[in-house]
Amino acid sequence: MKISFADLDLAKKGTLVVTVAEDRALLASAAHLDAQTHGALTRAAAASRFTGKFGQTLEILAPAGLDAGRVLLLGLGKLAELTDAKAESLGGSVYAAVAAQPETHLAIAVDPLTGDLSTASLAARLAHGLSLRAYRFDKYLTKQKADDKPSLEKVAVLLADHSAAKKAFADLDKLADGVVYARDLVTEPGNVLNPETYADRLKDLEKSGLEVEVLTLKDLKKLGMGALIGVGQGSKSESRVVVLRWNGGKDGAAPVAFVGKGVTFDSGGLSLKTAKGMEDMKWDMGGSAAVVGTLLALAGRKAKVNAVGVVGLVENMPSSTAQRPGDVVTSMSGQTIEVLNTDAEGRLVLADILWYTQDRFKPVAMINLATLTGAIIIALGHEHAGLFSNNDALAEAILAAGKDTGETLWRMPLGEAYDALLKSPIADMKNIGDGGAGSAVAAVFLQRFVNDVPWAHLDIAGVAWANKDKGVVPKGATGWGVRLLDQLVKSRYEA
């Protein structure tokens, strides 16, 4: 699908989108078409439940006299309340409304606005949201019917200041590349994406300007990453750690660090999951995918920042060599861990790569992402990710970036009471608590491996995969975190 920006010309074939504010207030292009068709748009809206409410759409077969085959009314709601995130969501609404139609061409008329959001920004964000919603993963579909394939080939966004919109869209398009790459990684099945093939795939990102370093199992043993190695020792696929670096800032400036859990398939190990609980576990590497997608986006738009991404890639499988409940492992930090549940494995992976990241790179801040606990879904459902942090300023910046992008979070507590639940009789700590406050216990476990670095843990178990279409996200892998972290870099760390 090709997206372009052009002058505001309503003589377009295919489907033409025009905008309406709340209370059926037609914006300029819609009003022009309404006058041209002797009030056809007004009558169609009045005969329906369409009021111009935010995100509403109404499809009309184009009245006589128009070149378009269809006209789509798009509700903007209250113009003063439009934001970048809302504009992107509108793009998703447009794609959802036209995806099943046979037309190959779509034109979106963007009229001058009042309020804080510029017309050019609205146009660029609409296009970005449409692009994200149009995502498909169909590489393994060999017998698709023609009606099951999307018809839309070209999207023209029409506005007076199309040069400014095109310029704004350029960076967003690079951001979309990062989101799509992350979604592709999450969607790949476990028999295709394992720690070794995942690491091999990431080596190709050197073409994008990233520095890519792959640590093999031999390297991990030398570093003493006993916690991470223990998780993957039951798999025939060797564990890996991959370091991605983007050096777009000042020479020698401390980087911002992103750390991701990359369990390419999680059976639970010897603490075996149920069949129902296991079938989705190919996406237990969603945190690592978000880190990779973010670094790719930063490189794509040549962000003026130094950034490092570290992902721990393992497969958690049951076998005669698998880690046993009750085993004690020694982490890279030297701290020992009694592993009472092999299905609480993500925190073991993160323990070593968090320590490695803060020790080697001395980052200005360190943010990890992980599909870590089912407990966060019990607490927050699929609406917000859980945010835990040892630094209020960092937490506030992440919350603000979440609001700006629509990838929202809810801050959760840390504390000594939760940390006390990790006490083990034979090791420095155990890897689970007593069954309560599972997400907070996992977070304080991670906190033991970050020292005094400003740090945030994002538990994304409820948002890494979508069970239905919503906004800019089609059903499936969301790529959650890429847009959030890119915005965080822009607002807080970019020179």
Side-chain angles (χ1 to χ4, degrees), residues 260-474:
K261 169 189 171 184
V263 181
T264 60
F265 189 80
D266 181 19
S267 69
L270 292 182
S271 302
L272 196 66
K273 294 179 182 290
T274 63
K276 182 65 177 175
M278 200 188 303
E279 62 185 22
D280 294 330
M281 285 298 101
K282 68 177 186 179
W283 53 257
D284 206 21
M285 37 61 69
S288 67
V291 169
V292 173
T294 299
L295 268 291
L296 181 60
L298 296 178
R301 66 176 183 83
K302 294 181 169 48
K304 294 180 175 63
V305 69
N306 294 334
V308 59
V310 180
V311 292
L313 311 180
V314 302
E315 186 179 48
N316 187 24
M317 298 293 281
S319 74
S320 62
T321 61
Q323 187 166 248
R324 295 158 290 265
D327 282 2
V328 175
V329 295
T330 302
S331 68
M332 184 182 173
S333 70
Q335 299 174 88
T336 57
I337 306 164
E338 183 184 15
V339 181
L340 295 182
N341 187 325
T342 64
D343 195 23
E345 85 299 331
R347 65 201 68 182
L348 300 175
V349 174
L350 289 170
D352 277 340
I353 57 175
L354 283 167
W355 187 270
Y356 172 79
T357 301
Q358 60 87 33
D359 184 59
R360 176 180 173 185
F361 297 107
K362 308 297 189 294
V364 64
M366 184 165 60
I367 302 157
N368 73 256
L369 299 91
T371 50
L372 204 65
T373 66
I376 204 67
I377 302 175
I378 301 301
L380 300 176
H382 301 281
E383 304 305 315
H384 305 280
L387 164 64
F388 301 82
S389 182
N390 65 359
N391 184 282
D392 290 341
L394 176 60
E396 289 300 321
I398 293 171
L399 290 169
K403 185 177 181 181
D404 288 343
T405 59
E407 293 190 333
T408 55
L409 308 98
W410 195 267
R411 192 169 183 186
M412 305 290 285
L414 298 166
E416 293 182 4
Y418 299 121
D419 190 79
L421 298 175
L422 294 171
K423 187 175 181 179
S424 165
I426 65 168
D428 295 326
M429 71 195 82
K430 55 184 180 177
N431 73 326
I432 56 173
D434 61 3
S439 297
V441 169
V444 294
F445 178 94
L446 298 180
Q447 191 176 19
R448 294 186 176 208
F449 300 90
V450 302
N451 285 324
D452 296 324
V453 176
W455 158 78
H457 157 52
L458 312 186
D459 193 334
I460 65 171
V463 294
W465 190 269
N467 292 320
K468 60 181 179 180
D469 299 334
K470 183 180 180 182
V472 301
V473 178

Side-chain angles (χ1 to χ4, degrees), residues 194-196 216-218 232 235-240 313-314:
N194 61 49
E196 295 170 272
T216 65
L217 182 58
K218 183 179 179 180
S235 172
K236 67 178 182 180
S237 178
E238 287 190 356
S239 299
R240 297 283 187 267
L313 311 180
V314 302

